[in-house]
């Protein structure tokens, strides 16, 4: 398997997908992507139960597992903010599929795009799909993945990075903050942004914009950098281990410059 961008597709009951049907639907959803099922050498199309699907020059593996995923209460607590039914899905699902790009050479964004496209086709093909856990950090409902994954090959910034990254609010004294979960799979750190100036919606927009920029360009923000569209929007970035979230490596962002 490739890296930390490994996805788990939760199933109401264990099933093995018809990968030839998945490949056809994947091509229908993404005509620009040459797709086919492949044998273990990636050379020839094979039967419907092949574990591999070719996406352009890459191979994505799909393995069906007849058991639920290990329980992670923290994951489902985070998911409950936007997906209240998630905890019930976590409790009652009976199987899952592991989906991952083979090899280690590709950029995380390429792996994320292709894996997301395949997951969308799996959900469209397999009615038993009920949720997706991405990189061990983010849980989303299957219907959201089905819709948003249509844009997995769209140009920056229109690909569905919000499937890959959660943005969660918190309080820091009199200030508000937002922390990402999932960005570290792309750039090794999460964003922790604390502000006394911005409303929560504006803070979320800032964090989302910076997340998408880092996913697209890689870790181009260095320790001590100052970023922002103008002098009035300057943001200071420091590398540190979070004091709020258990030593999590973060880009610690603040906008408390004095003018």
């Amino acid at each position: 398997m490739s890296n930390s961008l490994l996805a788990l597709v939760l199933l109401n009951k264990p099933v093995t997908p018809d990968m030839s049907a998945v490949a056809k639907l994947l091509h229908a959803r993404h005509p620009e992507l040459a797709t086919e099922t492949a044998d273990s050498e990636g050379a020839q199309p094979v039967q419907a139960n092949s574990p591999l699907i070719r996406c352009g020059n890459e191979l994505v593996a799909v393995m069906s597992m007849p058991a639920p995923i290990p329980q992670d209460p923290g994951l489902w607590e985070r998911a409950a903010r936007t997906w209240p039914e998630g905890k019930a899905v976590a409790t009652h699902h009976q199987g899952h599929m592991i989906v991952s790009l083979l090899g280690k050479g590709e950029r995380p964004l390429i792996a994320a795009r292709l894996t997301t496209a395949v997951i969308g086709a799996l959900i469209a093909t397999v009615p038993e799909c009920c949720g997706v856990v991405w990189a061990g950090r983010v849980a989303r409902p299957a219907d959201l993945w089905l819709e948003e994954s249509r844009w997995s090959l769209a140009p920056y910034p229109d690909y569905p990075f919000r499937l890959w990254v959660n943005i969660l609010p918190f309080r820091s004294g009199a200030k508000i903050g937002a922390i990402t979960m999932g960005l570290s799979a792309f750039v090794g750190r999460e964003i922790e942004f604390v502000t006394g100036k911005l409303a929560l919606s504006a803070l979320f927009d800032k964090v989302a914009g910076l997340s998408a920029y880092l996913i697209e360009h890689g870790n181009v923000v260095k320790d001590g950098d100052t970023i922002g569209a103008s002098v009035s929007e300057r943001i200071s970035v420091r590398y540190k281990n979070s004091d709020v979230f258990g030593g999590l490596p973060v880009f610690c962002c603040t906008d408390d410059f004095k003018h």
Side-chain angles (χ1 to χ4, degrees):
M1 294 296 168
S2 59
N3 48 31
S4 57
L5 297 179
L6 181 143
L8 305 175
V9 182
L10 279 58
L11 301 167
N12 289 322
K13 63 179 181 180
V15 295
T16 299
D18 179 342
M19 291 296 284
S20 61
V22 173
K24 290 176 182 176
L25 192 54
L26 180 60
H27 182 66
R29 286 167 63 92
H30 305 284
E32 71 276 34
L33 188 62
T35 62
E36 61 182 20
T37 50
D39 64 14
S40 59
E41 300 298 324
Q44 299 291 331
V46 293
Q47 64 273 20
N49 64 351
S50 167
L52 302 177
I53 188 166
R54 180 171 291 281
C55 299
N57 295 322
E58 306 296 334
L59 288 174
V60 175
V62 178
M63 295 187 296
S64 188
M65 310 295 288
I69 67 172
Q71 285 298 317
D72 180 348
L75 170 69
W76 298 105
E77 286 291 339
R78 296 192 298 272
R81 294 174 182 266
T82 56
W83 184 24
E85 302 83 4
K87 288 184 179 181
V89 169
T91 300
H92 298 298
H93 79 284
Q94 298 179 21
H96 67 281
M97 294 181 285
I98 302 172
V99 185
S100 180
L101 186 75
L102 291 185
K104 297 178 180 290
E106 289 295 353
R107 289 178 55 208
L109 176 56
I110 294 174
R113 284 172 171 275
L114 295 178
T115 304
T116 299
V118 170
I119 292 170
L122 281 167
I123 293 171
T125 309
V126 180
E128 289 82 3
C129 295
C130 53
V132 179
V133 174
W134 176 262
R137 293 289 183 92
V138 184
R140 300 281 193 238
D143 56 353
L144 180 65
W145 267 84
L146 180 64
E147 179 60 31
E148 294 295 316
S149 61
R150 293 182 181 277
W151 309 104
S152 55
L153 303 182
Y156 170 79
D158 294 330
Y159 45 73
F161 72 92
R162 289 180 183 270
L163 293 177
W164 313 327
V165 178
N166 238 348
I167 303 175
L168 305 171
F170 66 94
R171 286 209 165 272
S172 179
K175 298 181 179 181
I176 59 172
I179 183 82
T180 62
M181 288 291 171
L183 183 64
S184 57
F186 295 88
V187 292
R189 291 177 178 271
E190 303 294 344
I191 295 170
E192 181 181 299
F193 196 142
V194 175
T195 179
K197 299 178 179 180
L198 299 174
L200 188 61
S201 60
L203 173 61
F204 270 45
D205 287 344
K206 290 280 189 189
V207 173
L210 182 55
S211 297
Y213 185 84
L214 290 170
I215 290 171
E216 174 69 16
H217 298 286
N219 187 0
V220 294
V221 178
K222 304 308 177 187
D223 186 21
D225 277 359
T226 301
I227 60 176
S230 67
V231 172
S232 63
E233 296 180 354
R234 287 189 300 169
I235 299 166
S236 172
V237 181
R238 297 304 304 256
Y239 285 17
K240 65 176 294 185
N241 295 331
S242 174
D243 297 326
V244 181
F245 296 94
L248 186 71
V250 296
F251 302 99
C252 183
C253 300
T254 57
D255 61 356
D256 56 357
F257 288 95
K258 306 297 183 182
H259 299 294

